[in-house]
Amino acid sequence: MGLDALHLHDLRHEATSRFFERTDLDLMEIKAITGHKSLQMLSRYPHLRTAKLADRLAGAKRGSG
């Protein structure tokens, strides 16, 4: 997949996922930044990395590491 296949939507998707993983922003703050009109639409975006999710389950704070 080259840059020709990259779209603005792809960047929004990636950025939204990283806001959830790498910051301590809450849902409403991320929603305001990304411009999603509903929490239902926002919930379709994040694809959390398994290792980060495991860290959170082990007690790590969001945005750490």
Side-chain angles (χ1 to χ4, degrees), residues 40-54:
Q40 182 178 8
M41 283 302 296
L42 180 62
S43 70
R44 295 178 180 190
Y45 277 74
H47 294 288
L48 304 177
R49 295 188 171 125
T50 306
K52 292 282 189 182
L53 187 55

Side-chain angles (χ1 to χ4, degrees), residues 16-40:
T16 302
S17 294
R18 298 311 143 239
F19 278 134
F20 278 102
E21 278 189 354
R22 297 182 180 175
T23 71
D24 64 349
L25 297 170
D26 65 30
L27 281 173
M28 298 307 291
E29 291 167 329
I30 294 172
K31 181 177 167 286
I33 291 168
T34 61
H36 288 90
K37 296 197 185 312
S38 71
L39 291 177
Q40 182 178 8

